[in-house]
Amino acid sequence: MLKKFINDELPLALVWLILGLFAGLVYALEMVGLDGSMTLLSPERARSLHISHMLYGFFPLMLSLLPFALFQKEGVLSESAIEHLRRYFIVWNLFLLFMSMALLFGNIRGLPFYDFPYQLNFLLAFSGLFYLLALVDALRRYEKRPLWVNVSLLAVIAAPIALVVLMNPQYGQVEQTLVGPHGDNTLGMSFTLIPIYYLLIKLVATQKFKPRWHWLWIVPLVGYVLSLIIRNFFHNLSYNEEWFFQYLTLLYLPLLWVWLRDAGVSFKTNPYLILSIWAFVFVDVQGNFLFIPEIRALIHRNDLVVGHAHIAMGLGVAFMALAILHHLLPNLFRRVYAVLWTALMALMALALTIAGIIEAGGFSGTVELYLGTRALIGALLVGMIVWITYERIKFKLDSPLKLYHLSGFLSDAGGGVILILAGATLFPLLGFGFSGTYEYIVFAFMIGTGLAHWYGLQYDPYRFGEFTASVRAVCASVFVALYMAGSLDGIALLVALYDAGFALVYWLFLRGRV
């Protein structure tokens, strides 16, 4: 049941992952000389889009499936819960679309994280309503609810409220930790991962698992609450105070070791989960080590060590989500991808760390070489995810009509994406004017037409062939009329010829051939 649901939702989710990784690749290339100023993916927008999708795109969506994977394991997951979950995915995907467009068109808050417009948090909170309904549907099927179920329910109820409050531009916690080492914030973020690790271990456990040593997570939780009280009601935390709160994260390490041992979880059981925990251990130890001011100064010229962040998010959190997908779809998310991804991220972190030491004056060298290495590794990661996506969506081109739809999808959806990102550069090169307003609406319409061709590949080729041909014919007639009236230049005539030609190919040669 859940396997079919995620298999259906996976293609769109992977598109968001590809978009986020591609934005990171563009930013990496811009750091070594690519000029993106004439496109929507300028450096600040590319970086914002990359980080926002890593934090709000594919990975959190997949992580949100964790309780339902456990519900399925315990036999309490129903079709009605899946339907609520489907609505939750719809609203979240709509948020990701609005977020992506807002960031691409420059609606950026200027924050290191959570950079999209604050108002979109309410759309996220709305998606949480359907998630809560799905959760409640499964909960009511328990005769006696386990502790982890009650904790999950409390977290889902509290999350939308915390989201709206903590992200608020005037009094939110995020706005108060823009500079400095923010060790207390690190403690809070680390704590949120511990219950997720607990549920993941419970999901893939090979033997009966009962958690022990609770004081190892209670002490850091008390420390985080205390840090919030001090920061918000008394004074900004000093460097040493933040260091103390950051230091509490070391208590998580023996806790995770005991849980893995008690559950009988190994690399063979779920390689993504083991690699995620190893990444967490590495980042935890490294983060506390880097809190020493003298060592921080040797490693990087600012408070954000980028290699550290890439291991934390690109391996630690990312592999939490992939551990669920490996459990549900082991034939698609295979062990070889886990090993390859880990090797690439480790090399990227190493390259960025060396670049940081050079920037800090630790030794002489060419920073561009290591930044270029980061870009190359990013391209390999994008390629790997594109290949996984292809493995999921590959289909048979067993008729001329399907080939027609594939051509329409690649030309319109693919061309529309390229034009949205770089139309401001391409139009002048081709000798056409570009106002930067209505053209983007046309490009978005192109993507919509391309998606109609995609549905023709997946569902009913004949009906979607009729639909796309009719849409193209109407658009062609309007563009010709505007060209003849002198309202639009030669680009209108080219668009009209292209759309009319596509429609005629269908009507003259492919109509009725499925």
Side-chain angles (χ1 to χ4, degrees):
M1 188 187 306
L2 185 61
K3 181 178 179 179
K4 182 182 183 307
F5 167 77
I6 189 54
N7 199 45
D8 292 341
E9 297 291 337
L10 194 58
L12 180 56
L14 286 170
V15 167
W16 299 128
L17 179 56
I18 292 171
L19 175 60
L21 291 175
F22 177 74
L25 173 60
V26 171
Y27 179 72
L29 291 172
E30 288 169 334
M31 293 300 99
V32 292
L34 177 69
D35 183 8
S37 59
M38 291 299 294
T39 72
L40 294 188
L41 279 174
S42 59
E44 63 276 4
R45 297 181 188 184
R47 181 181 184 277
S48 180
L49 188 66
H50 171 63
I51 292 176
S52 296
H53 267 284
M54 294 303 100
L55 293 173
Y56 282 90
F58 176 84
F59 297 121
L61 260 181
M62 297 304 105
L63 272 174
S64 65
L65 294 170
L66 179 53
F68 298 94
L70 282 162
F71 291 148
Q72 180 170 270
K73 185 177 182 180
E74 297 184 358
V76 295
L77 188 63
S78 68
E79 287 289 351
S80 57
I82 292 292
E83 191 57 37
H84 289 309
L85 203 57
R86 197 179 306 278
R87 295 187 181 103
Y88 156 74
F89 263 65
I90 289 171
V91 179
W92 193 296
N93 283 321
L94 187 63
F95 156 77
L96 292 175
L97 177 61
F98 276 63
M99 179 194 76
S100 301
M101 290 301 175
L103 296 179
L104 281 173
F105 285 96
N107 196 345
I108 296 173
R109 298 169 65 191
L111 301 177
F113 308 103
Y114 321 107
D115 212 17
F116 55 84
Y118 168 70
Q119 293 81 359
L120 293 182
N121 284 295
F122 291 93
L123 194 56
L124 273 182
F126 178 54
S127 72
L129 172 64
F130 297 107
Y131 191 85
L132 178 62
L133 291 173
L135 197 64
V136 169
D137 182 90
L139 297 187
R140 64 187 180 83
R141 301 177 190 279
Y142 279 101
E143 292 184 6
K144 182 179 180 182
R145 293 201 302 237
L147 176 62
W148 76 265
V149 172
N150 292 324
V151 171
S152 298
L153 179 61
L154 179 63
V156 170
I157 294 173
I161 301 172
L163 187 73
V164 172
V165 172
L166 293 178
M167 300 299 178
N168 186 276
Q170 278 71 48
Y171 51 80
Q173 174 74 0
V174 173
E175 302 285 341
Q176 299 187 40
T177 57
L178 296 184
V179 295
H182 45 78
D184 62 321
N185 225 17
T186 302
L187 175 61
M189 289 186 290
S190 298
F191 175 76
T192 61
L193 301 182
I194 297 305
I196 300 175
Y197 276 130
Y198 161 68
L199 295 180
L200 282 169
I201 292 170
K202 183 178 179 64
L203 176 66
V204 303
T206 59
Q207 57 197 43
K208 187 175 181 180
F209 170 54
K210 184 177 181 181
R212 299 183 294 133
W213 294 17
H214 297 290
W215 67 271
L216 289 173
W217 63 262
I218 293 174
V219 171
L221 175 60
V222 172
Y224 180 58
V225 172
L226 180 61
S227 74
L228 290 180
I229 294 173
I230 295 173
R231 183 188 287 276
N232 287 283
F233 296 102
F234 294 97
H235 58 79
N236 289 331
L237 296 176
S238 68
Y239 197 93
N240 286 334
E241 286 173 331
E242 292 201 37
W243 190 358
F244 170 77
F245 290 120
Q246 163 95 8
Y247 222 68
L248 294 178
T249 60
L250 292 173
L251 294 177
Y252 298 141
L253 306 188
L255 179 67
L256 290 173
W257 177 75
V258 169
W259 283 356
L260 285 174
R261 188 189 62 182
D262 290 352
V265 178
S266 64
F267 185 82
K268 184 177 179 180
T269 306
N270 193 305
Y272 290 94
L273 177 55
I274 296 299
L275 289 170
S276 172
I277 290 177
W278 274 112
F280 179 89
V281 171
F282 173 82
V283 170
D284 194 343
V285 174
Q286 183 201 35
N288 283 283
F289 187 67
L290 292 175
F291 229 94
I292 302 172
E294 293 77 12
I295 294 178
R296 179 185 295 272
L298 291 174
I299 297 297
H300 208 270
R301 63 184 178 184
N302 59 34
D303 282 327
L304 298 174
V305 181
V306 283
H308 174 87
H310 280 73
I311 291 292
M313 187 64 203
L315 275 180
V317 177
F319 273 27
M320 288 175 123
L322 294 175
I324 303 171
L325 294 177
H326 175 77
H327 178 76
L328 295 172
L329 303 170
N331 292 331
L332 185 59
F333 293 90
R334 299 191 291 273
R335 184 185 306 174
V336 62
Y337 294 135
V339 175
L340 180 59
W341 190 315
T342 302
L344 290 174
M345 289 304 302
L347 288 173
M348 181 183 290
L350 177 62
L352 291 172
T353 299
I354 295 173
I357 296 174
I358 294 173
E359 287 178 330
F363 54 80
S364 60
T366 303
V367 172
E368 287 73 18
L369 172 64
Y370 299 99
L371 295 181
T373 301
R374 185 259 297 268
L376 175 60
I377 294 171
L380 293 174
L381 282 170
V382 172
M384 186 172 70
I385 299 303
V386 169
W387 177 256
I388 293 174
T389 305
Y390 168 75
E391 286 192 312
R392 165 57 189 85
I393 66 174
K394 60 184 177 183
F395 46 81
K396 293 182 179 180
L397 289 174
D398 51 7
S399 71
L401 187 50
K402 284 192 174 182
L403 183 60
Y404 166 83
H405 280 303
L406 179 61
S407 301
F409 169 71
L410 293 176
S411 61
D412 279 60
V417 170
I418 292 172
L419 288 172
I420 277 186
L421 296 178
T425 300
L426 296 176
F427 268 51
L429 290 177
L430 298 173
F432 299 119
F434 189 83
S435 66
T437 52
Y438 82 92
E439 291 94 346
Y440 287 115
I441 299 174
V442 175
F443 302 156
F445 188 80
M446 284 179 61
I447 296 174
T449 305
L451 290 175
H453 281 291
W454 173 257
Y455 295 130
L457 278 170
Q458 298 294 319
Y459 302 108
D460 191 328
Y462 173 75
R463 289 184 182 276
F464 281 100
E466 288 287 333
F467 173 70
T468 54
S470 301
V471 168
R472 289 181 184 279
V474 172
C475 290
S477 66
V478 173
F479 273 107
V480 167
L482 291 172
Y483 172 74
M484 291 179 174
S487 300
L488 292 177
D489 57 13
I491 190 68
L493 184 59
L494 289 177
V495 171
L497 291 174
Y498 169 79
D499 277 337
F502 236 98
L504 285 173
V505 166
Y506 172 75
W507 279 326
L508 295 178
F509 304 108
L510 298 174
R511 194 178 216 174
R513 296 177 62 182
V514 181

